[in-house]
Amino acid sequence: MLNAYYLYKLSWVFYRCKIPILPKIIKLICFLVYNSSIPYQCKLGKGTRFAYNGIAVVLHKRTKMGINCTIGTNVTIGGRSGHFEVPVIGDNVYIATGAKILGPIVIGNNVTVGANAVVIDHVPNNAIVAGIPAKIIKYKSE
């Protein structure tokens, strides 16, 4: 089924094959259909899913994300003023609707980011974070 992740993967393949114009056209189609900015330069791991086809998701072009991540609607992952680096997200991360992950931070593996949370600090493995700014509210038991 056609969704924002499928369009991203298609544009990424064309980008890797050094076909200059097609990735930009596909990114524009994704923006027009889903109101999402998912650049073909970012690295999304296998098994990444977007809730509701990726409506209003904004990712920085240098974003790196592990495998099996789920991203809710209206999520922003990007830089922060005064910093060049952008977030690096681990494996099996769930980012709920409206969350913002900003700046040079690392989100560990098996993390859950609560709805509308603003994450501006590193998050260790197996944590659940929520709030503005996001704080650890619980650790997942293994």
Side-chain angles (χ1 to χ4, degrees):
M1 172 157 194
L2 185 66
N3 58 37
Y5 183 72
Y6 176 78
L7 291 173
Y8 155 77
K9 287 302 277 184
L10 188 61
S11 64
W12 183 81
V13 167
F14 288 133
Y15 174 70
R16 298 284 294 173
C17 293
K18 300 189 185 319
I19 300 172
I21 200 79
L22 283 177
K24 294 176 184 176
I25 292 170
I26 294 169
K27 182 183 173 203
L28 177 63
I29 290 169
C30 184
F31 179 75
L32 293 173
V33 174
Y34 297 108
N35 194 29
S36 296
S37 178
I38 305 170
Y40 45 86
Q41 298 99 327
C42 63
K43 294 177 176 72
L44 304 182
K46 186 177 182 180
T48 297
R49 294 178 303 278
F50 291 98
Y52 297 98
N53 297 325
I55 295 172
V57 172
V58 178
L59 303 180
H60 193 281
K61 69 180 183 179
R62 290 191 311 273
T63 299
K64 293 178 185 164
M65 190 172 296
I67 61 171
N68 299 323
C69 294
T70 302
I71 302 171
T73 60
N74 202 27
V75 169
T76 301
I77 300 173
R80 208 164 83 194
S81 180
H83 300 282
F84 177 77
E85 296 299 320
V86 296
V88 175
I89 299 171
D91 299 336
N92 305 309
V93 174
Y94 175 75
I95 305 170
T97 299
K100 312 296 180 235
I101 301 176
L102 307 169
I105 62 174
V106 175
I107 305 293
N109 298 327
N110 306 309
V111 169
T112 299
V113 178
N116 297 315
V118 178
V119 184
I120 55 174
D121 291 317
H122 299 290
V123 178
N125 294 339
N126 303 310
I128 300 173
V129 296
I132 303 173
K135 302 214 180 324
I136 298 171
I137 58 171
K138 188 177 178 183
Y139 282 96
K140 296 178 183 178
S141 59
E142 296 186 29

